[in-house]
Amino acid sequence: MGSPKQDLRPAPGLRPARRRRRAAPPVPGPDVPAYRSAVADLLAELTRDPARTPAILTRRLAEPVYAGLLAATPRGRTAVLGDLLRAVQAVLRRPGGEPVPLVRVQLLAQIDALWWGRSPAYPSGAELCAAADLVDLEPLRRAGRLGFRYRRQPTHLVGRAIRSAHRRAVQRGLWPERSPRTAGLRYPRTRPEAVALLNQVARRFAERAPAGTPPLWVTSLARSTRHQDRLTRLGYPTMPASAHCSGYAVDVELAWYARYGARHVLAAELLARQDAGQVNVIDEGQVWHVCLSPAALPALRRDFDAALGG
């Protein structure tokens, strides 16, 4: 006679303990500092052999450090590589064309795309000017609450004529050049966080630059996609889905400060903020493009609200 079967059901009122499911480890995002370092290495290789730029790009951008970040952008690695190769071929067909500056700008701009490429853009100037999430700088400038300077772009014939006459006088040595040569801001509007960042950079620059150095100059802020397309047609090194068009990027003058012995001071300040993860910086020659990092927004917004929000 076999032994009686045991009743393995739990006693009334008791439930069997459930096995805890382990939470899946977080999927790491693209390593932005590693990507930026890899781009510097790639640019060094291209500088040694610019004629082979298309072949080098095709080979190197398949490496995980590049492919991982490019795949995470809205357009993906294949589309980014295709656009880049077409642009490089166009440069190489021109006499004396140098593809390395183009590659630097477009590859580093993919960090901007990773951060803000899916953010809504401002299609037109009217929509940009009406956007509630942007700040109008003119009242702040009139109140003396901005540590940086900018110039408005003339919109009328008289203003353009005066600007042209002044530029000719400077070129002939009849008038001192007191500001950088820039077309000026079409829209003096940007995000509050960008205002806070620019004021911080302006303060540090003023503290560290040689005596007599002019304040920080800003040459571009938020742009509409319509204006971005116009700049592209005029030959400026722009990106179709620029962070300018969602208000998260600014351009600051760099080259002009060399005459005051201060260019390296401003460059060091911007690069230090990049190393701290606050911004992405792209050297575009005369100006440097500066894009806000999503991680930096909360602290910058608190700074803006404390200093300028009231």
Side-chain angles (χ1 to χ4, degrees), residues 166 170-171 175-182 214 256 259-260:
H166 178 267
V170 169
Q171 291 170 348
W175 190 264
E177 189 170 23
R178 301 182 185 277
S179 62
R181 296 183 185 181
T182 172
W256 187 62
R259 68 184 62 195
Y260 301 98

Side-chain angles (χ1 to χ4, degrees), residues 62 84-85 165 202 249 273:
L84 185 53
L85 290 176
R273 289 177 181 271

Side-chain angles (χ1 to χ4, degrees), residues 52-59 61 77-93 99 102-103 106-107:
R52 295 190 62 251
T53 294
I56 294 171
L57 286 175
T58 302
R59 170 173 54 84
L61 294 188
R77 189 191 77 88
T78 302
V80 170
L81 175 60
D83 289 347
L84 185 53
L85 290 176
R86 284 188 290 272
V88 164
Q89 293 287 8
V91 170
L92 290 174
R93 284 194 293 269
L102 168 75
V103 173
Q106 294 215 15
L107 286 183

